[in-house]
Every structure is written in C-alpha cells, then in structure tokens.
Amino acid sequence: MNHPEWIAILDYGSQVTQLIARRLREQHVYCEILRYDTPAEELRERAPKGIILSGGPCSVPDSDSPKCDPALFDLAIPMLGICYGMQLTAHALGGEVQRGEKHEYGKATMRITKPSPLYEGMQDEVQVWMSHGDKVVSLPEGFETVAESDNCPHATMQHLERALFGVQFHPEVVHTPQGAQMLKNFAYGICGCSGDWEMAKFVEHTVAKVKETVGEDHVLLGLSGGVDSSVVAALLHKAIGHQLHCVYVDNGLMRYKETEEIEALFGDAFGMDLHVVHAGDPFLSKLEGVSDPEKKRKIIGNTFIDVFSEKARELSGDVTYLAQGTLYPDVIESVSPIGGPSATIKSHHNVGGLPEDLHFKLIEPLRELFKDEVRLVGRELGLPDYVVDRQPFPGPGLAVRIIGEITPERIETLQQADLRVREEILIMENHLDVWQYFAVLLPVQSVGVMGDDRTYENVIAVRAVESRDGMTADWFKLPYDVMDRISNRIINEVRGVNRVCYDISSKPPSTIEWE
Ligand code: XMP
C-alpha cells in the first residue's frame, strides 16, 4: 500500500541507516528503507517525494561495490546522498571519487559557503560528524560545492535544478546537532512533504496492510507479555480480530501472577482468542536437578519449542501466518549490501526454530520501528502503562535468577521477594529511569537471629540498573529508604529469607542477569 507522502531510503549497509528513517519519522514524514538496487521503474510507480542514498562501508571505485540503478537520477525526484550515497551520486554522474588513505572520523566544523535549501535558517558554521575514507574530489557537471571543512573541500554538493544533493557527513546521528533540521529541510523544503505522518497513521496503515495481506487467513502469535509481542497482538487484533490466535506459554518461571494479568488483559479486556498453555510441569520436571546455567537455558528453549509447536499444530488447520514482534534493531544490524536487507529472527521468543512440519509465512508489523516508537504505538492502541513501560524480561524467565537448582519452593521464594522489589521501586517517582529491577535467589544460606532463635536461611540479592540498551549498565543508586523498605519487607514477609544484599556491579564486567 502506498502512502501519498513518503521518502525512500536506499540502504548501502551503514550501521546508522535506520537512524535516517527515525529522524524523518520524528519530523512526521513517512519513509521506507529499501534495497540498495531498487529499480528506478519501481520507484517511478511508487512515487516517493524524495530518495535518500544511505552511507555504507564499501568503496565506490571498487567494481563490486553496491551501486544504485543509474536511472534513479533521471526520475526528477529530489535526491540526497549521504557519505557513500554522495560518492555514489558523484561517481554515477561523472565526478571523481578518490580512495582515502586516511579515515576521517569524528566531529568537524563545516563552513557553508553558498546558499543551499538544505541549510536554510542555519549559521555559516555548523558542527557535523564525519566518518569516511573515500571522498569526492571533482564534482559532476552542473554541481556546485556549497560547504567545506578542513579535510573535505566538497563537504556538500548540490545541483539545484535537478534537486540532487550530497553530503559527506552524517546528518542522521546526534553528533551532527543540526542534522535533524537538515533532514527536515530536505523533506519539507526540497521534497515538499507536509509532515502528515504520525503514530496514529502508522497504526491505520499497518492495520490496512495486514488486512490486505492476510485476507481471510488466520495468524498465530506467540505472546510473551513483553512490550513487542503485546503491541503486535493489539495491532493484529485491531486488524483481523478473531483471525488472530495468541498462544501464551506459562513455563512455571514467570513472575508472581503474571499469567493471570495476561489472561485478564488480552483474554478478558481485549477479548482476544488467547490460548494459555499451563506448562509448568514439563518445564520443571526437565529442570529437576539441573544447576548449570547453559543447560537450563537449553532445556527451557527446547521445551518451549515443543510446547509451542504442539499448540500450534492443534491450531494450524486454519493458520497461514506466524506473527513476530521483530523490531528494527533485531533486523540484522549491518545489512549486507550484497544480499540486501535480511532479517534475523528474534531468537529469544524461540519461535524461529519451529519444526519443519510447521511452516508459516512470517508477518512482522513492527520491523521498521525502534523500541520507543513501539511504546508509542502501544499507547495509541490503548495498552496500559504497565505493559507499554514494562522492563525487559529474559525468555528463560526466573530460571536465570535462581542460582543453582530450580524447585517449586525456590521459585515461590523468588517470586515473593521479586514482587516486593517491584512494588517498592514502582512507587518511586523516577521508576522509569530504572532499566531493570529484580531479585535473585542465591544458593547460599546464612545465619540470622529471629526472636531468640538462630536461623540458617536464604540470601536474596537485589539488582537494579540503569542502561540505554542493555549492552552496558550501571547499578542504580537507589535511595536508602527504598532499599530499607525492600529489605525489611523481604525479610519480614518472605518465608525462608533472612538476608538481603544489593548488587553494586556495573556491566561490563558484570552482566545484568546473574546467570
Ligand atoms: P545480560 O545479563 O547479558 O543481559 O547483561 C542483557 C539483557 O538481556 C536480557 N537477557 C536475556 N533475554 N533471554 C532473553 O530473552 C536470555 O537468556 C537473557 N539473558 C539476559 C537481560 O534481562 C537484559 O535485559
């Protein structure tokens, strides 16, 4: 389905291509990331308002580097080449690109020497982020240089009549502080977009697209209760109602009352066709006596596939599609320019490895979005805050937080301790600044006194971290009174625990989870 106002981004494999899309969406402009070799004919038909050629790791002078269809430049659609995209433009139109001996990487000051609609409203000097080896040394006919930097005499080129532009730096990254404005100038001033796009429209369009794709068929979704699969569930339910079948596997390692909450929200409130598989027994019996963390993960992963597949087989009579909550960062980070954008299946939902008799077509309605955009979509669809703002929760559930053997008693102890950690942090005004917070049950007993008796009971570690993406993390400086309440409540209210410790390690070298 075509959006009346959109920008096509052709991907040459840069790590930050997705940021171009994101910056445009922030400016309320719809865009799509397409293969680097998308034929000009296809774009003529789909009529984007503008075309952006992304950056990329290859070298334009190499004969096997990814090239665009040269007919793109004759479509009379405004184009902006970024870094590799600029070199590609220069090369295709008869300019010269020189292979770089040195890589220029980092902040640079760019001086704007001639007026350009790209830099409308800006001072003569702007800070930009450079990351390139090769550079354009002579411009194609009809182009002019409009900005330079110390290391880059042609930092920006333009051909005003043909509305073709090239920039050597990366306007999409935050290190180019006015980059968002530059992209806005391109989209609004040069391409004539009016900024008619918003999350509500994403919902509207995706709903229409899903309806068109799915038709009368049925869709299966593994619902984990996490943000991504919850948003996919709400989106698909809006599109196809009872043609959506959600399967939620309770592996017996969920947080306290989590399964009931999911049933109440998706089954009762939304009225979805929700199949809850209570599979605690098969999971726990296979985990009996196992302490090795890798073995635990494997058992849980394999059992999940078995349980999910069995349910899927039961429902599969009518089902053609499998829906997944794949997000942009899950789509392979560095797109192979040769193979074109390819997707990796989100492995922690574990439905990537379904047995061969279950072959579904994939449907991934969130694959162009970032996490915070998914949250906006979730709110748009009426999902409550506690779902939309949910902290990440590992696929193997509490298994990675029970160090040592997993038994029903130890799960119950951890669930109860974890509940108190969550309740106390959730009432902090700034709880959304805490990336993850939870309890861990250690395989250690320590001595305590209760009344006149000595006790010899379990130790709970409390973990709370701040992080941007989970890749690195710092321990969260919880206020003492919050720590105090957490500790008192756990020791007084949870049977079998007489000591609480706070984990003050950062990642790296520690990890967020304990196993
Ligand atoms: P670590 O412990 O590696 O965790 O610092 C980084 C992020 O990943 C989550 N995590 C997992 N998620 N399956 C998952 O789906 C797992 O096995 C797993 N282990 C860790 C963790 O909660 C954190 O957000």
Side-chain angles (χ1 to χ4, degrees), residues 297 348 392-396 400-401 435-436 470 507 511-513:
R297 275 173 210 258
H348 76 256
F393 185 61
V400 298
R401 298 174 183 171
W435 167 266
Q436 269 177 294
K507 173 183 180 175
T511 49
I512 296 176
E513 304 289 350

Side-chain angles (χ1 to χ4, degrees), residues 22 26 199 327 369-379 388:
R22 190 203 165 104
E26 281 169 0
M199 270 305 163
L327 308 192
L369 302 188
F370 286 79
K371 193 82 169 190
D372 54 340
E373 294 179 304
V374 170
R375 294 200 158 105
L376 291 177
V377 173
R379 280 187 222 289
V388 171

